[in-house]
Amino acid sequence: MKKICITLIISLFALMAQAQNFEDIVRFSGTPNNGTARVSAMGGAFTALGGDISAITINPASVGVFRKSEVSFTPFVNIAKTKASGESPTKSSFQLGDLGLVISLYSPSFDWKGVNFSFNYTNLNNFNRKTRQIVGTSYTSFTDVLARQSGTLSSDELDGMLTGLAYDAYLINPYYNEQDSTLAGYYSIFGEGEPVAQVKDISESGYQGEYTLSVGTNFKDKLYLGMSIGIQTLNYKKSSVYTEAPPEQSLSEVDFYTFEEYYKMDGVGTNLKFGIIYRPIPQVRIGASIHTPTWYSFDYSWSTRFYSQFITDYDVRTGRDQGAYDVPSYPYNIDCDMRTPWRANVGLATILGQKAIISTDYEFVKYPNARYQHGEDDYGYYDYDIENADIEAYLRPTHNFRAGAEYRFNSIASLRAGYSFRDSPYHESHKANNRLQTVSAGVGLNFGSFYCDAAYSYKHAKNETIYYSYIDPNYEENDIYATPVSNKYLSHEIRLTFGIRF
Protein backbone atom coordinates (compact mmCIF):
# COMPACT_ATOMS: atom_id res chain seq x y z
CA MET A 1 0.00 0.00 0.00
CA LYS A 2 2.80 2.42 0.88
CA LYS A 3 4.47 1.73 -2.47
CA ILE A 4 1.24 2.56 -4.29
CA CYS A 5 0.88 5.86 -2.38
CA ILE A 6 4.47 6.83 -3.17
CA THR A 7 3.89 6.09 -6.86
CA LEU A 8 0.83 8.35 -6.90
CA ILE A 9 2.74 11.17 -5.22
CA ILE A 10 5.56 10.95 -7.74
CA SER A 11 3.15 10.88 -10.68
CA LEU A 12 1.55 14.09 -9.44
CA PHE A 13 4.73 16.15 -9.20
CA ALA A 14 3.85 17.87 -12.47
CA LEU A 15 0.62 19.03 -10.83
CA MET A 16 2.37 20.03 -7.62
CA ALA A 17 4.54 22.57 -9.42
CA GLN A 18 1.38 24.52 -10.18
CA ALA A 19 0.16 24.31 -6.57
CA GLN A 20 3.28 25.60 -4.84
CA ASN A 21 5.01 28.59 -6.38
CA PHE A 22 6.14 32.13 -5.69
CA GLU A 23 2.55 33.39 -6.11
CA ASP A 24 1.79 31.93 -2.67
CA ILE A 25 4.76 33.83 -1.23
CA VAL A 26 3.27 37.07 -2.59
CA ARG A 27 -0.26 36.20 -1.45
CA PHE A 28 0.67 35.40 2.14
CA SER A 29 3.44 37.99 2.64
CA GLY A 30 1.65 41.09 1.35
CA THR A 31 -0.38 41.69 4.49
CA PRO A 32 -2.26 45.02 4.59
CA ASN A 33 -2.07 46.89 7.88
CA ASN A 34 -5.63 46.44 9.05
CA GLY A 35 -6.90 45.95 12.58
CA THR A 36 -8.84 48.56 14.53
CA ALA A 37 -10.92 51.25 12.87
CA ARG A 38 -8.50 53.99 13.96
CA VAL A 39 -5.43 52.29 12.46
CA SER A 40 -7.36 51.48 9.29
CA ALA A 41 -8.69 55.05 8.93
CA MET A 42 -5.15 56.47 9.22
CA GLY A 43 -3.69 54.18 6.56
CA GLY A 44 -1.84 51.93 9.04
CA ALA A 45 0.78 54.66 9.67
CA PHE A 46 1.36 53.77 13.32
CA THR A 47 5.04 52.76 13.53
CA ALA A 48 5.86 55.94 15.50
CA LEU A 49 2.51 56.57 17.19
CA GLY A 50 1.59 53.48 19.19
CA GLY A 51 -1.15 53.69 21.76
CA ASP A 52 -3.56 51.51 19.72
CA ILE A 53 -4.05 47.79 20.24
CA SER A 54 -3.63 46.76 16.60
CA ALA A 55 -0.62 49.12 16.22
CA ILE A 56 1.25 46.55 18.34
CA THR A 57 1.17 44.25 15.30
CA ILE A 58 3.13 46.91 13.36
CA ASN A 59 5.50 48.01 16.16
CA PRO A 60 5.53 46.10 19.48
CA ALA A 61 6.92 49.21 21.23
CA SER A 62 3.35 50.54 20.91
CA VAL A 63 2.39 48.53 23.99
CA GLY A 64 4.75 50.67 26.10
CA VAL A 65 2.80 53.83 25.22
CA PHE A 66 -0.32 52.74 27.10
CA ARG A 67 -0.93 54.32 30.52
CA LYS A 68 -4.20 52.50 31.19
CA SER A 69 -5.37 48.97 30.60
CA GLU A 70 -7.65 48.55 27.63
CA VAL A 71 -9.79 46.02 25.76
CA SER A 72 -11.26 46.49 22.28
CA PHE A 73 -13.26 44.61 19.68
CA THR A 74 -13.40 45.31 15.90
CA PRO A 75 -15.74 43.58 13.43
CA PHE A 76 -15.66 44.50 9.75
CA VAL A 77 -17.58 44.01 6.51
CA ASN A 78 -15.72 43.56 3.22
CA ILE A 79 -17.29 43.86 -0.23
CA ALA A 80 -14.86 42.67 -2.92
CA LYS A 81 -15.39 43.16 -6.64
CA THR A 82 -13.27 41.97 -9.57
CA LYS A 83 -13.59 43.62 -12.98
CA ALA A 84 -12.41 41.50 -15.92
CA SER A 85 -13.65 41.04 -19.48
CA GLY A 86 -16.66 43.25 -18.81
CA GLU A 87 -17.76 41.09 -15.86
CA SER A 88 -17.90 42.36 -12.24
CA PRO A 89 -18.79 39.60 -9.75
CA THR A 90 -19.04 40.67 -6.10
CA LYS A 91 -18.45 38.73 -2.90
CA SER A 92 -19.21 39.98 0.62
CA SER A 93 -17.88 38.70 3.95
CA PHE A 94 -18.17 39.54 7.64
CA GLN A 95 -15.10 38.85 9.80
CA LEU A 96 -13.35 39.70 13.04
CA GLY A 97 -10.82 42.46 12.37
CA ASP A 98 -9.20 42.77 15.80
CA LEU A 99 -9.70 41.65 19.38
CA GLY A 100 -7.19 42.71 22.03
CA LEU A 101 -6.34 43.29 25.66
CA VAL A 102 -3.61 45.48 27.19
CA ILE A 103 -2.62 45.22 30.85
CA SER A 104 -0.85 48.43 31.86
CA LEU A 105 1.31 48.59 35.00
CA TYR A 106 2.18 52.26 34.54
CA SER A 107 4.16 53.80 37.45
CA PRO A 108 4.64 57.56 36.93
CA SER A 109 6.98 57.98 39.93
CA PHE A 110 9.84 55.92 38.43
CA ASP A 111 12.17 56.51 35.47
CA TRP A 112 11.27 53.08 34.11
CA LYS A 113 7.53 53.51 34.26
CA GLY A 114 6.48 49.92 34.59
CA VAL A 115 5.87 47.06 32.18
CA ASN A 116 2.84 46.56 29.93
CA PHE A 117 1.54 43.33 28.44
CA SER A 118 -0.86 42.72 25.60
CA PHE A 119 -2.57 39.87 23.82
CA ASN A 120 -4.43 40.51 20.61
CA TYR A 121 -5.74 38.92 17.45
CA THR A 122 -5.50 40.85 14.16
CA ASN A 123 -6.94 39.87 10.79
CA LEU A 124 -4.03 40.36 8.36
CA ASN A 125 -5.63 39.25 5.11
CA ASN A 126 -9.10 38.65 3.70
CA PHE A 127 -9.09 36.39 0.62
CA ASN A 128 -12.82 36.41 -0.21
CA ARG A 129 -13.52 37.34 -3.83
CA LYS A 130 -14.90 36.05 -7.14
CA THR A 131 -13.51 36.50 -10.64
CA ARG A 132 -14.98 35.77 -14.06
CA GLN A 133 -12.65 36.02 -17.08
CA ILE A 134 -13.71 35.66 -20.72
CA VAL A 135 -11.74 35.44 -23.96
CA GLY A 136 -14.30 35.48 -26.76
CA THR A 137 -11.98 34.14 -29.47
CA SER A 138 -8.60 32.50 -28.94
CA TYR A 139 -6.54 30.81 -31.64
CA THR A 140 -4.66 28.67 -29.13
CA SER A 141 -6.04 26.18 -26.62
CA PHE A 142 -5.02 24.75 -23.26
CA THR A 143 -5.13 21.37 -25.00
CA ASP A 144 -2.30 22.56 -27.30
CA VAL A 145 -0.10 22.95 -24.23
CA LEU A 146 -1.13 19.57 -22.80
CA ALA A 147 -0.33 17.89 -26.11
CA ARG A 148 3.16 19.44 -26.23
CA GLN A 149 3.83 18.58 -22.58
CA SER A 150 2.98 14.91 -23.22
CA GLY A 151 6.04 14.50 -25.45
CA THR A 152 6.43 10.89 -26.55
CA LEU A 153 5.30 9.27 -23.31
CA SER A 154 2.91 6.37 -23.75
CA SER A 155 -0.63 6.58 -22.43
CA ASP A 156 0.40 4.30 -19.56
CA GLU A 157 3.27 6.64 -18.66
CA LEU A 158 0.88 9.61 -18.70
CA ASP A 159 -1.39 7.89 -16.20
CA GLY A 160 -1.92 9.99 -13.06
CA MET A 161 -0.50 13.15 -14.64
CA LEU A 162 -2.49 16.15 -15.83
CA THR A 163 -1.75 15.24 -19.43
CA GLY A 164 -2.97 11.72 -18.73
CA LEU A 165 -6.27 13.08 -17.49
CA ALA A 166 -6.62 15.07 -20.71
CA TYR A 167 -5.89 11.90 -22.71
CA ASP A 168 -8.55 9.96 -20.81
CA ALA A 169 -11.01 12.79 -21.53
CA TYR A 170 -10.19 12.42 -25.26
CA LEU A 171 -8.84 15.97 -25.46
CA ILE A 172 -5.41 14.97 -26.81
CA ASN A 173 -4.69 12.11 -29.21
CA PRO A 174 -1.48 10.32 -30.23
CA TYR A 175 0.11 10.29 -33.69
CA TYR A 176 2.79 7.93 -34.99
CA ASN A 177 5.84 7.91 -37.25
CA GLU A 178 5.00 6.59 -40.72
CA GLN A 179 8.27 4.69 -41.05
CA ASP A 180 8.20 2.53 -37.93
CA SER A 181 4.81 3.27 -36.34
CA THR A 182 6.45 4.51 -33.14
CA LEU A 183 4.76 7.18 -31.05
CA ALA A 184 5.76 10.63 -32.39
CA GLY A 185 3.73 12.81 -30.04
CA TYR A 186 0.25 14.11 -29.35
CA TYR A 187 -2.07 16.66 -30.92
CA SER A 188 -5.00 18.65 -29.58
CA ILE A 189 -8.55 17.57 -30.34
CA PHE A 190 -9.00 21.06 -31.80
CA GLY A 191 -7.58 21.78 -35.22
CA GLU A 192 -4.44 23.94 -35.43
CA GLY A 193 -5.45 27.58 -35.17
CA GLU A 194 -9.11 26.68 -34.65
CA PRO A 195 -10.86 29.47 -32.72
CA VAL A 196 -12.24 28.62 -29.29
CA ALA A 197 -14.15 30.61 -26.70
CA GLN A 198 -12.64 30.55 -23.20
CA VAL A 199 -14.26 31.28 -19.82
CA LYS A 200 -12.74 30.94 -16.35
CA ASP A 201 -14.72 31.31 -13.11
CA ILE A 202 -12.67 31.62 -9.89
CA SER A 203 -13.90 31.64 -6.30
CA GLU A 204 -11.50 32.39 -3.41
CA SER A 205 -12.17 32.43 0.32
CA GLY A 206 -10.32 32.41 3.63
CA TYR A 207 -8.34 34.59 5.98
CA GLN A 208 -4.88 35.12 7.50
CA GLY A 209 -4.73 36.16 11.14
CA GLU A 210 -2.13 36.68 13.86
CA TYR A 211 -2.24 36.11 17.60
CA THR A 212 0.36 38.33 19.29
CA LEU A 213 1.73 38.24 22.82
CA SER A 214 3.68 41.42 23.53
CA VAL A 215 5.61 43.10 26.34
CA GLY A 216 6.78 46.71 26.44
CA THR A 217 8.26 49.30 28.76
CA ASN A 218 8.58 53.07 29.02
CA PHE A 219 11.62 55.12 30.07
CA LYS A 220 10.79 58.68 31.26
CA ASP A 221 7.89 58.90 28.76
CA LYS A 222 10.54 59.42 26.06
CA LEU A 223 11.75 55.95 25.09
CA TYR A 224 9.45 53.00 24.48
CA LEU A 225 10.70 49.47 23.86
CA GLY A 226 8.77 46.33 22.99
CA MET A 227 8.92 42.83 21.61
CA SER A 228 6.30 40.27 20.63
CA ILE A 229 5.81 36.67 19.65
CA GLY A 230 3.33 36.14 16.86
CA ILE A 231 1.44 33.01 15.85
CA GLN A 232 -0.18 33.27 12.44
CA THR A 233 -2.99 31.05 11.21
CA LEU A 234 -4.02 30.77 7.60
CA ASN A 235 -6.89 29.22 5.68
CA TYR A 236 -7.13 29.65 1.94
CA LYS A 237 -9.43 27.97 -0.58
CA LYS A 238 -9.57 28.45 -4.31
CA SER A 239 -11.74 26.73 -6.87
CA SER A 240 -11.85 27.42 -10.58
CA VAL A 241 -13.74 26.13 -13.61
CA TYR A 242 -12.11 26.74 -17.00
CA THR A 243 -14.21 26.08 -20.11
CA GLU A 244 -13.33 25.95 -23.80
CA ALA A 245 -15.82 25.57 -26.63
CA PRO A 246 -15.29 25.68 -30.43
CA PRO A 247 -17.66 27.22 -32.97
CA GLU A 248 -20.73 25.24 -33.99
CA GLN A 249 -19.07 24.10 -37.22
CA SER A 250 -16.00 22.32 -35.80
CA LEU A 251 -14.06 19.34 -37.15
CA SER A 252 -13.22 18.33 -33.59
CA GLU A 253 -16.86 17.43 -32.86
CA VAL A 254 -16.31 18.71 -29.29
CA ASP A 255 -19.33 20.41 -27.77
CA PHE A 256 -17.24 21.81 -24.87
CA TYR A 257 -14.89 20.72 -22.11
CA THR A 258 -14.15 22.00 -18.60
CA PHE A 259 -11.06 21.83 -16.44
CA GLU A 260 -11.74 22.19 -12.72
CA GLU A 261 -9.21 22.86 -9.96
CA TYR A 262 -9.69 22.82 -6.21
CA TYR A 263 -6.92 24.10 -4.00
CA LYS A 264 -6.83 24.37 -0.20
CA MET A 265 -4.13 25.45 2.25
CA ASP A 266 -4.12 25.38 6.03
CA GLY A 267 -1.07 26.72 7.84
CA VAL A 268 0.38 27.83 11.16
CA GLY A 269 3.47 30.02 11.52
CA THR A 270 5.51 31.83 14.16
CA ASN A 271 7.53 35.05 14.15
CA LEU A 272 9.24 37.60 16.39
CA LYS A 273 9.03 41.40 16.32
CA PHE A 274 11.16 44.06 17.98
CA GLY A 275 10.38 47.76 18.16
CA ILE A 276 11.35 51.17 19.50
CA ILE A 277 9.62 54.57 19.74
CA TYR A 278 11.51 57.71 20.79
CA ARG A 279 10.18 61.20 21.66
CA PRO A 280 13.06 63.70 21.31
CA ILE A 281 10.55 66.49 22.04
CA PRO A 282 6.88 66.16 23.09
CA GLN A 283 5.65 67.05 19.60
CA VAL A 284 7.71 64.47 17.66
CA ARG A 285 7.83 60.67 17.72
CA ILE A 286 10.24 58.45 15.80
CA GLY A 287 9.62 54.72 15.55
CA ALA A 288 11.19 51.60 14.05
CA SER A 289 10.46 47.88 14.08
CA ILE A 290 11.92 44.67 12.71
CA HIS A 291 9.77 41.65 11.83
CA THR A 292 11.50 38.31 11.44
CA PRO A 293 10.19 35.95 8.77
CA THR A 294 7.16 33.90 9.67
CA TRP A 295 8.08 30.21 9.60
CA TYR A 296 4.98 28.46 8.27
CA SER A 297 4.01 24.79 8.15
CA PHE A 298 1.35 24.14 5.52
CA ASP A 299 -0.97 21.32 4.59
CA TYR A 300 -1.77 21.45 0.87
CA SER A 301 -4.66 19.60 -0.72
CA TRP A 302 -5.30 19.86 -4.42
CA SER A 303 -7.39 18.08 -7.04
CA THR A 304 -8.38 18.52 -10.68
CA ARG A 305 -11.04 17.24 -13.01
CA PHE A 306 -11.61 17.19 -16.77
CA TYR A 307 -15.10 16.90 -18.21
CA SER A 308 -15.54 16.64 -21.97
CA GLN A 309 -18.68 16.38 -24.06
CA PHE A 310 -18.71 15.46 -27.74
CA ILE A 311 -21.36 15.95 -30.37
CA THR A 312 -20.90 12.41 -31.77
CA ASP A 313 -20.07 9.13 -30.09
CA TYR A 314 -17.24 8.08 -32.44
CA ASP A 315 -14.19 9.81 -33.91
CA VAL A 316 -13.59 8.43 -37.40
CA ARG A 317 -10.09 9.93 -37.53
CA THR A 318 -8.76 8.10 -34.46
CA GLY A 319 -11.14 5.19 -34.11
CA ARG A 320 -11.75 6.18 -30.48
CA ASP A 321 -15.17 6.10 -28.89
CA GLN A 322 -16.51 9.48 -27.86
CA GLY A 323 -19.39 10.79 -25.77
CA ALA A 324 -19.16 12.47 -22.37
CA TYR A 325 -16.22 11.84 -20.04
CA ASP A 326 -15.73 12.83 -16.42
CA VAL A 327 -12.09 12.30 -15.41
CA PRO A 328 -11.03 13.33 -11.88
CA SER A 329 -7.47 13.32 -10.58
CA TYR A 330 -6.25 11.51 -7.51
CA PRO A 331 -6.73 13.57 -4.33
CA TYR A 332 -3.42 15.23 -3.59
CA ASN A 333 -2.05 16.12 -0.14
CA ILE A 334 1.41 17.12 1.04
CA ASP A 335 3.08 19.04 3.85
CA CYS A 336 5.35 21.97 3.12
CA ASP A 337 7.30 24.57 5.11
CA MET A 338 7.56 28.18 3.95
CA ARG A 339 9.57 31.14 5.19
CA THR A 340 8.12 34.58 4.45
CA PRO A 341 10.35 37.66 3.92
CA TRP A 342 12.00 39.86 6.53
CA ARG A 343 10.42 43.29 6.89
CA ALA A 344 11.36 46.56 8.57
CA ASN A 345 9.33 49.68 9.39
CA VAL A 346 10.39 53.23 10.23
CA GLY A 347 7.98 56.02 11.06
CA LEU A 348 7.81 59.70 11.92
CA ALA A 349 4.84 61.39 13.59
CA THR A 350 4.12 64.85 14.90
CA ILE A 351 1.47 66.05 17.33
CA LEU A 352 0.44 69.67 16.82
CA GLY A 353 -0.99 71.43 19.82
CA GLN A 354 -2.85 68.36 21.06
CA LYS A 355 -5.28 68.95 18.19
CA ALA A 356 -3.76 67.29 15.13
CA ILE A 357 -1.60 64.25 14.34
CA ILE A 358 0.33 63.64 11.11
CA SER A 359 2.10 60.31 10.73
CA THR A 360 4.13 58.67 7.95
CA ASP A 361 5.61 55.16 7.60
CA TYR A 362 8.10 53.49 5.30
CA GLU A 363 8.25 49.70 5.07
CA PHE A 364 10.90 47.52 3.42
CA VAL A 365 10.07 43.88 2.56
CA LYS A 366 12.78 41.60 1.21
CA TYR A 367 10.80 39.14 -0.90
CA PRO A 368 13.79 37.37 -2.54
CA ASN A 369 14.84 35.80 0.77
CA ALA A 370 11.55 33.87 1.13
CA ARG A 371 11.95 30.10 0.83
CA TYR A 372 10.14 26.78 0.53
CA GLN A 373 11.47 23.64 2.17
CA HIS A 374 10.39 20.12 2.99
CA GLY A 375 7.58 19.58 5.45
CA GLU A 376 7.54 16.94 8.14
CA ASP A 377 5.61 14.35 6.11
CA ASP A 378 6.56 14.94 2.47
CA TYR A 379 9.36 12.33 2.62
CA GLY A 380 11.77 14.58 0.69
CA TYR A 381 10.49 13.43 -2.72
CA TYR A 382 10.11 16.91 -4.13
CA ASP A 383 12.99 19.27 -4.92
CA TYR A 384 12.10 22.86 -3.97
CA ASP A 385 15.15 24.32 -5.71
CA ILE A 386 13.00 25.24 -8.72
CA GLU A 387 10.50 27.23 -6.65
CA ASN A 388 13.27 28.94 -4.66
CA ALA A 389 15.10 29.85 -7.87
CA ASP A 390 11.85 31.34 -9.23
CA ILE A 391 11.47 33.44 -6.06
CA GLU A 392 14.88 35.00 -6.63
CA ALA A 393 14.32 35.37 -10.38
CA TYR A 394 10.84 36.92 -10.35
CA LEU A 395 10.56 38.78 -7.03
CA ARG A 396 12.33 41.87 -5.74
CA PRO A 397 12.44 43.88 -2.48
CA THR A 398 9.59 46.34 -2.10
CA HIS A 399 9.29 49.85 -0.66
CA ASN A 400 5.88 50.57 0.83
CA PHE A 401 4.51 53.84 2.19
CA ARG A 402 1.72 54.79 4.58
CA ALA A 403 0.41 58.15 5.74
CA GLY A 404 -2.32 59.20 8.12
CA ALA A 405 -3.78 62.26 9.83
CA GLU A 406 -6.15 62.91 12.70
CA TYR A 407 -7.84 66.13 13.79
CA ARG A 408 -9.45 66.40 17.22
CA PHE A 409 -12.35 68.86 17.29
CA ASN A 410 -12.59 68.53 21.06
CA SER A 411 -12.00 65.93 23.76
CA ILE A 412 -14.76 63.74 22.27
CA ALA A 413 -14.79 63.87 18.45
CA SER A 414 -12.00 63.18 15.95
CA LEU A 415 -11.80 63.04 12.16
CA ARG A 416 -9.22 60.83 10.41
CA ALA A 417 -7.87 60.08 6.92
CA GLY A 418 -5.14 57.93 5.44
CA TYR A 419 -3.42 56.53 2.36
CA SER A 420 -1.20 53.50 1.84
CA PHE A 421 0.79 52.23 -1.11
CA ARG A 422 2.07 48.65 -1.27
CA ASP A 423 4.55 48.26 -4.11
CA SER A 424 4.68 45.35 -6.53
CA PRO A 425 7.11 42.57 -5.56
CA TYR A 426 7.60 41.64 -9.23
CA HIS A 427 10.44 42.78 -11.44
CA GLU A 428 10.07 45.54 -14.04
CA SER A 429 8.22 43.51 -16.71
CA HIS A 430 5.40 42.68 -14.26
CA LYS A 431 5.67 45.78 -12.09
CA ALA A 432 1.97 46.69 -12.28
CA ASN A 433 0.92 43.32 -10.84
CA ASN A 434 -0.11 43.25 -7.18
CA ARG A 435 0.42 46.97 -6.58
CA LEU A 436 -2.14 47.86 -3.92
CA GLN A 437 -3.38 51.36 -3.07
CA THR A 438 -5.76 52.15 -0.23
CA VAL A 439 -7.62 55.37 0.59
CA SER A 440 -9.36 55.55 3.97
CA ALA A 441 -11.27 57.85 6.32
CA GLY A 442 -12.96 57.59 9.68
CA VAL A 443 -14.33 59.19 12.80
CA GLY A 444 -13.79 58.60 16.50
CA LEU A 445 -15.76 59.28 19.66
CA ASN A 446 -13.95 59.26 23.02
CA PHE A 447 -16.05 59.24 26.21
CA GLY A 448 -13.17 58.68 28.62
CA SER A 449 -13.43 55.09 29.76
CA PHE A 450 -15.40 54.11 26.62
CA TYR A 451 -14.67 54.88 22.98
CA CYS A 452 -15.97 53.88 19.57
CA ASP A 453 -14.45 54.40 16.12
CA ALA A 454 -15.62 53.87 12.56
CA ALA A 455 -13.58 53.61 9.36
CA TYR A 456 -14.11 53.16 5.62
CA SER A 457 -11.38 51.89 3.27
CA TYR A 458 -11.31 51.66 -0.52
CA LYS A 459 -8.66 49.33 -1.95
CA HIS A 460 -7.57 49.08 -5.56
CA ALA A 461 -5.17 46.73 -7.36
CA LYS A 462 -4.78 45.33 -10.85
CA ASN A 463 -2.85 42.68 -12.73
CA GLU A 464 -2.73 40.77 -15.99
CA THR A 465 -3.12 37.00 -16.11
CA ILE A 466 -2.90 34.30 -18.76
CA TYR A 467 -4.54 30.89 -18.62
CA TYR A 468 -1.55 28.90 -19.91
CA SER A 469 1.78 29.09 -21.74
CA TYR A 470 4.33 26.74 -23.27
CA ILE A 471 7.95 27.62 -24.02
CA ASP A 472 9.74 25.39 -26.52
CA PRO A 473 13.45 25.27 -25.54
CA ASN A 474 14.49 24.57 -29.13
CA TYR A 475 12.08 26.42 -31.43
CA GLU A 476 10.70 29.79 -30.40
CA GLU A 477 8.08 29.62 -33.16
CA ASN A 478 6.50 26.67 -31.30
CA ASP A 479 5.82 28.73 -28.16
CA ILE A 480 2.18 28.85 -27.08
CA TYR A 481 0.59 31.73 -25.17
CA ALA A 482 -2.94 32.37 -24.03
CA THR A 483 -4.59 35.71 -24.64
CA PRO A 484 -3.84 38.00 -21.64
CA VAL A 485 -6.73 39.07 -19.42
CA SER A 486 -6.64 42.36 -17.48
CA ASN A 487 -8.11 42.30 -13.96
CA LYS A 488 -9.02 45.08 -11.53
CA TYR A 489 -9.57 44.20 -7.87
CA LEU A 490 -11.65 46.60 -5.80
CA SER A 491 -12.85 46.32 -2.23
CA HIS A 492 -14.88 48.39 0.22
CA GLU A 493 -14.42 47.85 3.95
CA ILE A 494 -16.31 49.22 6.91
CA ARG A 495 -14.85 48.72 10.41
CA LEU A 496 -16.27 49.50 13.83
CA THR A 497 -14.20 49.43 17.02
CA PHE A 498 -15.60 49.41 20.54
CA GLY A 499 -13.16 49.84 23.43
CA ILE A 500 -13.03 50.22 27.18
CA ARG A 501 -10.16 51.71 29.25
CA PHE A 502 -9.80 50.76 32.89
Side-chain angles (χ1 to χ4, degrees), residues 29-47:
S29 300
T31 53
N33 290 287
N34 295 319
T36 63
R38 186 181 182 215
V39 169
S40 181
M42 296 177 65
F46 267 74
T47 299

Side-chain angles (χ1 to χ4, degrees), residues 294-314:
T294 301
W295 287 270
Y296 263 109
S297 293
F298 285 113
D299 176 51
Y300 284 85
S301 55
W302 194 63
S303 62
T304 62
R305 178 187 298 271
F306 277 104
Y307 176 82
S308 58
Q309 184 168 304
F310 292 81
I311 299 172
T312 62
D313 294 331
Y314 184 75

Side-chain angles (χ1 to χ4, degrees), residues 63-67 103-117 215-221 223-226:
V63 71
V65 177
F66 284 82
R67 296 187 179 186
I103 300 298
S104 177
L105 304 177
Y106 183 74
S107 301
S109 57
F110 298 94
D111 287 346
W112 287 99
K113 300 183 181 301
V115 178
N116 295 344
F117 302 89
V215 59
T217 187
N218 170 354
F219 181 72
K220 292 185 177 181
D221 289 327
L223 177 67
Y224 307 89
L225 304 173

